[in-house]
Amino acid sequence: MVGITRIATYVPRRRLDRTVLGQTWGTRVAPGRRSVAGLDEDPLTMAVDAVLACLDDADPAGFDALYFVSTSSPYLEKQVASVVATATDLPRTTAVADFGGSVRAGVAALRVALDGVRAGSLRNVLVAAADARLAEPESELEPVLGDGAAAVAVGRDRVIAEFVSAASVAEEFTYFWRTDEQRTVQVTEPRFGSSYGYARDVAEAVTAALRKAEVPPASVAGLALGAPDERTAAEAAKRAGCDPGRQLVPSLGSEVGVLGAPDPLALLARSLETAAPGDFLVVAGYGEGADALVFRATDALPASRPRPLADRLAHALPVTSYGRFLKARGLVPAETAGEPVTSIIEWKELAQDVRLHGSRCEACGLVQYPQTRVCIGCQARDRLVGHKLAKRGTVFTYTIDNLAPVAEHPLPMAVIDLEGGGRLYLQVTDAADGEVKVGTPVELTFRRLHEAGGNRHYFWKARPVL
Amino acid sequence: MKDQVAVIGVGCTKFGDRFERSYEELIADAAFDAYADAGIEPAEIDAAYLGTYLPGAGGGKAAVSLGDALRLYDRPITRVENYCATGTDAFRNGCLAVAAGVADVVLVLGAEKLKDRGGRGIPRLGHPLLARGNTAPGLFALAANRYMHTFGLGRETLARVAVKNHHNGALNDKAHLRMEVTAEQVLKAPIIAWPFGLFDCCPTTDGAAAAIICRADRARRFKRDPVLVKGAGLAVTTGRPYFDPTFDYLGFRSTQAAARQAYAMAGVGPRDIDFAEVHDCFTWTEISNIEDLGFCAKGEGGRLVEEGRTALDGDIPVNPSGGLKSFGHPIGASGVRMIYECVTQLRGEAGARQVKHPELGLAHNVGGPGAVSCVVVLGRG
């Protein structure tokens, strides 16, 4: 059996109440909130977060491919999948590829992963989709979009949703676009785009996939449609012969916004929170045509359900002003001094800085970081062996700094004792006032640390476990 | 080395925002001040040590900055850099040269021009990723928060150090910040790095200080009553305590070790010290340091301050000069400035801030934080 073995969603902790946008521009906005990636987040970091959540306690060595999907990748040239695979400690032999170009690519990459496993070419594949798309200020799209990520593991063992069928449509249709010189997403006349582009193509792909699966539309338990808005999703569902009220997986629109490439995958995860074994689930992605995949929930699902999205949405940090929203999205200049991480340092320290491997002393057993020749505990020479550090720990001591040359103050800094040994000293991100104290439990997250030498530099930070 | 080296002259510039003076001009001010104090001519200097932490556009990268500032050529000059212990370590190196018999008269000079670097003074150095986001107050604050968590200290106790040192500094015409502060002002000041507010932090300062030392057996030839070097110690521990899983963050091992060395050399103990110039880059640092120096047990430093025992009229006056807190902290100059204060006190020339009849004084720097400490014990000849 080939199918989904694990699935997880990542949503940034920052949330913007849409009334802030309404008040800023004097416009009417739909109620609810949208997620906002922080200044230290981008699709690369959110993909790492989603993959770590998806892996949970699984051994990364068991995966042989990782596909990164984004329409808003931090790099136009330089592969991100390999960074995500390295930061999540996948093997060096992992097959890696980046997908993009359209928000459709999330479901398209999932199809490629499923086909690869079904063909016997790959055993276990991770698909990590993440987007942080920018809209024009004051545009109708600005309150609609959200930032986030989803990761899906595909394999043959302990499948929670069996892959049944797939269908695709290819049609040139200009609905959303962004040229190589534009930072913000452009959109055609929305009513035309939603009816003649989205609803037509998605319904066609869903209908074809269900026909292949020999599943009548009325039997679908959950229809996970990554759509520009709920009305458009409902129109596509109806055209595919489904009942939107009963069969559509509730959109993320009011709590998170439209996520882009990860959106249908996040909805699929949401449907797997409650699906019963035997339920048919359909996921579809749109962009210049559509892809639709049909899954059947298995008996293994109840024991391996994804963590509820509601859990991940709790403890939001409010973005209280439009200025702070612009700053979080990197749209106002922020001064961050820093030294470039040369390719040489990056290459030499890859295991230490990206895989987060420390050392364990074979003489005295002390786990330590960073990697050195002589043990800090017993001074034994060259008895230190590579040791993968845990990504959870406790704050041993801390400060809340207002002086550091970073873009956002105050900056909590913490000395962290990791589970299983090793001590780190890291910036703490996504923390509300008063959350960082001696004894605070934290987990590690891979973030954008600073820019220097014309490049972005990523490293680990800590965040409070909530 | 005990009693083999004598301080025969000291000099010190006004500390502060010395925008009108260059790095080399500060060096010249301090050096000629010390020459005059010792009553010697520059030609009598056999060797010199320059303590500077941070080379700037004005100089300080190498020993030539001292040579050029003073036109002192054709003899050994060495630059010493050892974090915030730079000044005391330069002094210690000068003493070693005299004690070793390779130089009879040595100039030790500490100088720093931090204000030329703009608002934040000290740039961050080191690995581009690891420990990024650290600042000097932030690094000491890590220790302060763990210490305060462990011993149940509040910011009110830290504020007592600022009130005391500002009081002493207000009496000192060479100090950078010559004003009294109240505990309330200290507690209400903007937070720099929790638990440190603005008045828990020493300022960023320009300044230079100098000491002229010579063989003790020849000290009587010069015009001033000599002050003798009784002991000196220097110890280095990890510069990355935040990666050391065994570090308790309750004090600094390097200070404890450097003090042991200095006391052993001098043949004295902490109870024999009459006053101390102690590194107080932040208020908490002084509290922890007086414990590490042995003036009280670990965890009792706060009480010592609260009971007034470290005040000018207490049984162990700490930082009669005003300390880094009020006098200022031009990094490489600070340690030599402490020697200047010790000599001035031991000579009984400290005026309104004079400690009563001191026989033994101690100077201490710690940098890193905790990575390197230097302790010097001086006594009346």
Side-chain angles (χ1 to χ4, degrees):
Chain A
M1 188 193 291
V2 171
I4 293 166
T5 56
R6 295 164 173 274
I7 189 164
T9 305
Y10 172 79
V11 178
R13 196 177 170 192
R14 286 175 180 75
R15 240 50 66 70
L16 177 73
D17 196 303
R18 295 195 172 103
T19 55
V20 172
L21 295 170
Q23 283 159 7
T24 300
W25 301 121
T27 51
R28 287 163 66 94
V29 290
R33 304 188 293 176
R34 57 155 293 175
S35 58
V36 181
L39 194 55
D40 60 355
E41 290 187 288
D42 64 23
L44 183 160
T45 70
M46 293 192 292
V48 172
D49 258 316
V51 170
L52 289 176
C54 185
L55 285 173
D56 193 24
D57 57 352
D59 183 2
F63 290 85
D64 49 8
L66 183 142
Y67 301 149
F68 170 75
V69 188
S70 183
T71 66
S72 49
S73 170
Y75 285 101
L76 295 180
E77 177 160 352
K78 179 172 165 56
Q79 200 198 48
V80 172
S82 58
V83 184
V84 176
T86 308
T88 55
D89 212 27
L90 263 57
R92 188 176 163 78
T93 49
T94 302
V96 278
D98 284 4
F99 290 72
S102 158
V103 295
R104 169 187 187 170
V107 176
L110 180 57
R111 178 174 183 173
V112 171
L114 290 160
D115 287 344
V117 173
R118 180 179 270 178
S121 170
L122 299 165
R123 286 178 298 124
N124 288 292
V125 184
L126 281 158
V127 175
D131 257 327
R133 296 150 81 211
L134 293 177
E136 294 277 1
E138 207 178 345
S139 67
E140 286 180 23
L141 214 48
E142 190 177 40
V144 170
L145 300 184
D147 306 326
V152 186
V154 170
R156 289 180 176 276
D157 300 326
R158 283 180 249 167
V159 168
I160 59 172
E162 183 188 7
F163 177 39
V164 181
S165 67
S168 295
V169 171
E171 183 186 43
E172 157 52 16
F173 187 100
T174 304
Y175 189 173
F176 295 97
W177 77 94
R178 186 160 69 85
T179 71
D180 62 348
E181 290 176 350
Q182 289 165 327
R183 282 195 78 188
T184 56
V185 178
Q186 311 294 308
V187 59
T188 192
E189 204 289 301
R191 281 182 50 201
F192 172 70
S194 71
S195 290
Y196 286 78
Y198 184 89
R200 248 176 92 238
D201 291 356
V202 168
E204 187 179 339
V206 169
T207 301
L210 287 172
R211 195 168 296 140
K212 281 190 198 175
E214 297 178 1
V215 174
S219 306
V220 172
L223 198 52
L225 302 185
D229 55 68
E230 287 175 45
R231 197 182 52 78
T232 306
E235 187 182 343
K238 268 187 237 165
R239 287 203 197 191
C242 296
D243 172 9
R246 184 174 63 84
Q247 291 172 284
L248 264 187
V249 179
S251 92
L252 305 171
S254 65
E255 301 140 288
V256 173
V258 173
L259 293 184
D263 201 79
L265 306 181
L267 292 175
L268 180 61
R270 175 175 255 190
S271 71
L272 286 167
E273 290 175 21
T274 52
D279 279 356
F280 285 100
L281 305 168
V282 179
V283 61
Y286 172 79
E288 298 76 33
D291 297 294
L293 309 174
V294 178
F295 293 93
R296 183 169 46 219
T298 71
D299 293 339
L301 174 63
S304 305
R305 291 192 188 277
R307 185 177 161 193
L309 185 66
D311 269 22
R312 296 198 181 275
L313 296 182
H315 310 292
L317 282 177
V319 175
T320 50
S321 71
Y322 190 66
R324 286 179 182 276
F325 169 67
L326 291 182
K327 191 167 181 181
R329 297 307 306 115
L331 293 169
V332 286
E335 193 189 334
T336 55
E339 309 80 37
V341 180
T342 63
S343 301
I344 300 155
I345 294 175
E346 185 193 40
W347 174 79
K348 182 179 184 307
E349 299 184 356
L350 198 63
Q352 172 188 291
D353 298 346
V354 183
R355 290 188 186 273
L356 200 70
H357 289 192
S359 304
R360 186 175 48 79
C361 178
E362 288 186 311
C364 74
L366 191 68
V367 175
Q368 53 205 276
Y369 186 92
Q371 298 183 334
T372 55
R373 294 277 301 275
V374 181
C375 174
I376 196 166
C378 72
Q379 288 77 53
R381 187 191 64 152
D382 290 340
R383 298 291 304 280
L384 294 160
V385 293
H387 183 85
K388 181 176 179 173
L389 299 178
K391 294 193 174 64
R392 289 175 78 98
T394 305
V395 172
F396 182 78
T397 187
Y398 72 101
T399 185
I400 312 290
D401 194 297
N402 284 297
L403 192 65
V406 294
E408 290 175 305
H409 290 106
L411 171 70
M413 297 285 301
V415 174
I416 295 150
D417 283 340
L418 297 172
E419 289 175 5
R423 183 177 274 189
L424 296 181
Y425 173 47
L426 299 174
Q427 297 184 19
V428 184
T429 189
D430 295 350
D433 283 354
E435 281 183 351
V436 182
K437 290 183 287 218
V438 172
T440 299
V442 293
E443 59 193 2
L444 304 194
T445 171
F446 197 66
R447 295 296 172 104
R448 202 192 268 197
L449 205 60
H450 67 291
E451 300 197 13
N455 200 357
R456 278 128 189 198
H457 302 303
Y458 296 84
F459 193 60
W460 296 92
K461 292 188 180 184
R463 66 168 169 239
V465 176
L466 300 168
Chain B
M1 191 164 83
K2 181 190 180 189
D3 293 334
Q4 291 178 35
V5 182
V7 186
I8 54 168
V10 287
C12 185
T13 69
K14 162 78 179 162
F15 275 26
D17 301 328
R18 298 299 307 273
F19 300 118
E20 83 294 355
R21 275 284 198 269
S22 71
Y23 175 82
E24 290 193 2
E25 285 169 339
L26 288 173
I27 288 178
D29 286 346
F32 284 99
D33 202 7
Y35 291 157
D37 187 50
I40 66 167
E41 292 301 315
E44 294 176 71
I45 301 292
D46 295 324
Y49 289 82
L50 170 65
T52 288
Y53 168 70
L54 206 62
K61 182 160 169 52
V64 292
S65 290
L66 181 73
D68 276 338
L70 302 176
R71 302 301 181 200
L72 193 67
Y73 300 132
D74 304 327
R75 66 205 82 193
I77 308 179
T78 302
R79 178 187 161 206
V80 176
E81 190 279 292
N82 222 342
Y83 283 174
C84 287
T86 294
T88 33
D89 195 19
F91 181 78
R92 176 182 153 276
N93 273 279
C95 293
L96 294 176
V98 171
V102 296
D104 287 346
V105 181
V106 169
L107 168 67
V108 178
L109 195 140
E112 207 82 47
K113 196 82 177 67
L114 296 175
K115 287 290 183 179
D116 287 2
R117 296 178 163 270
R120 289 176 193 271
I122 309 169
R124 181 188 180 276
L125 304 168
H127 195 283
L129 297 174
L130 305 188
R132 214 191 117 74
N134 73 34
T135 61
L139 288 168
F140 279 91
L142 295 175
N145 281 320
R146 185 70 198 184
Y147 179 101
M148 292 162 77
H149 171 82
T150 304
F151 294 115
L153 234 65
R155 292 188 67 226
E156 298 74 17
T157 307
L158 306 190
R160 295 290 294 268
V161 175
V163 171
K164 169 182 72 75
N165 290 354
H166 272 271
H167 171 77
N168 295 353
L171 303 172
N172 193 333
D173 60 7
K174 289 188 172 178
H176 185 175
L177 305 177
R178 292 198 67 198
M179 81 287 196
E180 302 255 5
V181 295
T182 64
E184 194 188 0
Q185 276 177 299
V186 177
L187 292 170
K188 284 189 173 169
I191 295 297
I192 302 299
W194 183 266
F196 301 143
L198 183 65
F199 285 116
D200 289 290
C201 304
C202 70
T204 304
T205 305
D206 300 330
I212 294 167
I213 54 179
C214 79
R215 285 173 51 162
D217 58 1
R218 300 190 183 174
R220 294 284 166 197
R221 296 193 323 199
F222 299 96
K223 79 174 192 191
R224 302 299 308 258
D225 285 342
V227 165
L228 293 176
V229 178
K230 296 291 184 181
L234 178 82
V236 169
T237 56
T238 179
R240 303 184 297 234
Y242 36 76
F243 290 137
D244 179 358
T246 67
F247 183 49
D248 64 12
Y249 267 109
L250 300 180
F252 297 125
R253 198 169 116 193
S254 58
T255 295
Q256 295 159 14
R260 271 198 305 275
Q261 294 169 26
Y263 291 144
M265 187 185 289
V268 302
R271 285 174 196 288
D272 301 311
I273 303 296
D274 296 310
F275 69 95
E277 285 289 308
V278 171
H279 202 84
D280 59 330
C281 48
F282 305 97
T283 47
W284 169 82
T285 323
E286 179 173 310
I287 291 172
S288 175
N289 283 333
I290 58 180
E291 299 166 354
D292 291 335
L293 290 167
F295 299 149
C296 62
K298 186 48 71 184
E300 290 178 6
R303 210 176 67 208
L304 213 65
V305 175
E306 283 171 346
E307 290 172 355
R309 293 171 59 192
T310 56
L312 274 183
D313 59 355
D315 55 296
I316 174 70
V318 173
N319 289 321
S321 65
L324 311 183
K325 175 70 269 271
S326 164
F327 206 109
H329 186 27
I331 304 170
S334 277
V336 185
R337 193 277 302 159
M338 289 173 160
I339 302 295
Y340 169 88
E341 178 69 12
C342 286
V343 169
T344 306
Q345 289 283 351
L346 290 167
R347 286 173 176 174
E349 295 172 352
R353 65 179 199 281
Q354 179 64 47
V355 169
K356 282 207 180 68
H357 312 303
E359 292 292 328
L360 280 181
L362 178 147
H364 159 259
N365 282 141
V366 60
V372 53
S373 294
C374 192
V375 172
V376 175
V377 177
L378 297 165
R380 288 191 350 168

